[in-house]
Amino acid sequence: MINFLNYKVIIFDLDDTIYDEHLYLEKAYNYIGECLCSSLTSCGITPHEISTFLLLEFEKEGREGLYEKLINKYDVVDFTLDNFLECMRTTPLKQGSIKIRPYMNHLINRMIKEKKMIFILTNGNIKQQKNKINSLNIPHRNKIKVYYASSKGLSFEKPNPYFLNLIKEVSSSHKSEIVFIGDSEIDKKTAFNSDIDFVNVQNLEPQSKY
């Protein structure tokens, strides 16, 4: 059984850990549909149709080649990759409009109450990840430090342990006092590379103690 009270520092991955990334993708893909249709003189498709297509393709094969699949499906070559990426990164969302997982909300509130140090470490485009952070209803966000791994270049992204090691230093913590909560093999490998404990978020709710 995992007892987070034994740790001084709790580090969270972002996507599919603190929240379900599909909640952001649904809104981002719909926004892409709106941008795409508004850029065409005549649009015989709806933003909802485009959003549904993108979500289904993402669920089947991930984000690899998603833009190419879009333009091949709908023959919209005037909608460039730069257009696509900019929509993904700047989807207009109100602060706190996307809910984090209830268990994560509870855990963060409890750990802050217990005066634990909380960090978030995320890969990905900085503009997009900041947009996600802003859209989430994360409690005590002013007490949580966020590190964007790509801020120092792609080679510093997970599984590079650079930022986990940095957190050890800035928190003045021993490796045994830190735990990293994530959802992927990359997250697990990052924790291994930094020699700290790792917890898969999928194993948390039924058995954790806090």
Side-chain angles (χ1 to χ4, degrees):
M1 182 178 288
I2 304 154
N3 189 340
F4 288 105
L5 296 177
N6 292 333
Y7 295 98
K8 173 183 173 183
V9 176
I10 295 92
I11 308 167
F12 295 88
D13 169 53
L14 180 62
D15 298 320
D16 288 327
T17 297
I18 288 183
Y19 81 113
D20 181 351
E21 190 186 16
H22 276 73
L23 298 176
Y24 181 87
L25 293 179
E26 286 173 2
K27 297 178 184 298
Y29 291 159
N30 191 67
Y31 184 56
I32 287 172
E34 292 174 356
C35 293
L36 191 156
C37 287
S38 67
S39 70
L40 300 176
T41 305
S42 176
C43 186
I45 49 179
T46 65
H48 177 71
E49 183 179 351
I50 293 170
S51 175
T52 300
F53 169 77
L54 290 172
L55 277 171
L56 288 174
E57 289 300 319
F58 175 82
E59 289 167 0
K60 284 193 295 185
E61 298 180 340
R63 47 179 55 89
E64 187 72 26
L66 201 54
Y67 167 73
E68 288 76 14
K69 293 172 186 176
L70 175 67
I71 61 171
N72 289 336
K73 170 76 172 178
Y74 296 109
D75 192 24
V76 286
V77 293
D78 289 340
F79 190 72
T80 67
L81 176 59
D82 286 341
N83 296 146
F84 181 90
L85 293 176
E86 186 63 16
C87 289
M88 278 294 299
R89 295 165 181 170
T90 61
T91 302
L93 296 167
K94 292 181 179 179
Q95 185 174 17
S97 61
I98 296 179
K99 293 184 178 181
I100 67 173
R101 288 172 166 161
Y103 176 71
M104 291 291 105
N105 191 306
H106 185 87
L107 179 60
I108 291 171
N109 274 308
R110 178 64 192 278
M111 293 301 103
I112 291 292
K113 182 179 179 181
E114 297 292 337
K115 302 189 184 306
K116 304 298 183 180
M117 300 178 71
I118 308 293
F119 297 85
I120 295 173
L121 174 61
T122 180
N123 283 353
N125 177 269
I126 297 172
K127 182 189 288 188
Q128 182 169 310
Q129 298 308 94
K130 283 185 175 180
N131 195 31
K132 291 176 181 177
I133 291 283
N134 184 66
S135 73
L136 297 175
N137 67 333
I138 300 173
H140 307 287
R141 64 172 62 233
N142 61 322
K143 296 181 180 179
I144 300 174
K145 171 68 176 176
V146 181
Y147 284 104
Y148 301 93
S150 64
S151 62
K152 289 188 69 69
L154 293 179
S155 64
F156 286 84
E157 287 196 334
K158 299 176 292 182
N160 187 324
Y162 174 86
F163 281 97
L164 292 185
N165 293 337
L166 178 63
I167 290 171
K168 284 182 194 174
E169 294 179 17
V170 300
S171 65
S172 301
S173 302
H174 186 266
K175 63 184 182 181
S176 63
E177 299 176 296
I178 305 174
V179 61
F180 183 35
I181 303 172
D183 70 294
S184 67
E185 283 301 313
I186 288 177
D187 292 331
K188 184 177 181 179
K189 185 175 181 180
T190 310
F192 176 82
N193 290 340
S194 186
D195 198 20
I196 64 171
D197 287 347
F198 174 75
V199 175
N200 191 307
V201 68
Q202 296 177 4
N203 300 329
L204 277 183
E205 201 158 351
Q207 60 177 337
S208 299
K209 189 174 180 180
Y210 42 84

